[in-house]
Amino acid sequence: MANWNSAKGGDEDVELILRKLFVGGVRPDTTDDQFKTYFTKFGEIEDFVLIKNKQTNQSKGFGFVTYRQQATVDECLSKKPHTINGKEVDVKRAVPKDQPQERCQKIFVGGLPETTESDLKEFFETYGTVTQCQFKRDQNTGRGRGFGFVSFDSSDTVDKLIIMKHIDFNGKTIECKKALDVKDKQGGGMMNGGHGPNPSVYAPQAGYPPPGYPAPPMPAYGAYPGYPAYGAPAAPQAAAAAPTAPGYAPPAAAYPAVPAYPGYPAAAPGYPAPAAPAANPYYPQQAQAPGQYSQ
């Protein structure tokens, strides 16, 4: 069998890699005969391998298929979905390990000569259906900046182009790379020999996290502090300092306490003390404590 880890994505390996498929999500009890028989119906197989557990001799869930012709790979990819041994499997191009494994439908094209978006789209239409095409120009001069972006309707077309990597366009060699968005980088995985999984195939059969391993903690970036227990006093918080205007002293930490009212004096200087009110003979009054009053 071929050395499946020898491909480096170089020009001498491109022809071989373009004839190779990665197959993931395979049932553990799938046999070599079942695996080979299924993919033989698309064309002549040069080589195949179903990776197995050495102790149990059962499939680890993935394998590789190499066809004699590149056209057979295109034919197989166009017949999705694929089901082997009663389970849908994930079939895609075997992208070299030195290339991003995340799936996307957009490429970055570098080293472009002066061209138009219509010519660029017409060129890449030979590889797959183009949904969007951009050729970047300088806003001041209007001249091309030498790069652009092309989007396709299938991630398989993107995988094929990044495997080829260097392509001749109007007599000049251009370079193709995956144009990954943030969500693509976050959603991509490194499973089954470095190939990102298809959630519809790997979940929930494979399971995550693996048995015996705890789930990874969620990042606490920007999280609020925990609340105190019910009935517990809240932690004191320092008051924000008020800004001081230029040329003015900073405000006092607290306002001074208002002094107690001293009360009226017993008598004004030079005047006799006020006489007590005369008792009303019709309304008998009881003795009152100082500070009380009667109605």
Side-chain angles (χ1 to χ4, degrees), residues 4 25 48 89 92 118 125 143 167 177 188 232 244 271 285:
W4 300 93
F48 81 96
V89 295
K92 64 178 183 178
S118 59
E125 283 281 2
R143 295 179 179 177
I167 307 173
K177 297 181 180 180
T244 303
Y271 289 88
Q285 298 180 358

Side-chain angles (χ1 to χ4, degrees), residues 64-137:
F64 298 89
V65 177
T66 302
Y67 285 105
R68 291 284 184 184
Q69 303 293 331
Q70 294 184 24
T72 310
V73 173
D74 297 331
E75 174 70 14
C76 182
L77 291 174
S78 67
K79 300 298 183 180
K80 293 181 180 181
H82 298 281
T83 303
I84 303 177
N85 194 18
K87 184 179 182 297
E88 182 181 341
V89 295
D90 180 21
V91 180
K92 64 178 183 178
R93 293 185 181 274
V95 178
K97 290 185 177 181
D98 61 345
Q99 295 288 348
Q101 302 298 321
E102 297 87 350
R103 286 180 170 175
C104 72
Q105 297 176 303
K106 186 177 182 180
I107 62 170
F108 165 86
V109 186
L112 285 171
E114 189 65 32
T115 185
T116 63
E117 291 184 351
S118 59
D119 290 343
L120 194 63
K121 180 179 180 180
E122 182 180 358
F123 173 80
F124 280 103
E125 283 281 2
T126 60
Y127 297 96
T129 302
V130 176
T131 58
Q132 188 177 11
C133 185
Q134 295 175 312
F135 178 62
K136 296 299 182 179
R137 296 184 178 277

Side-chain angles (χ1 to χ4, degrees), residues 241-268:
T244 303
Y248 290 86
Y255 290 102
V258 179
Y261 191 74
Y264 290 101

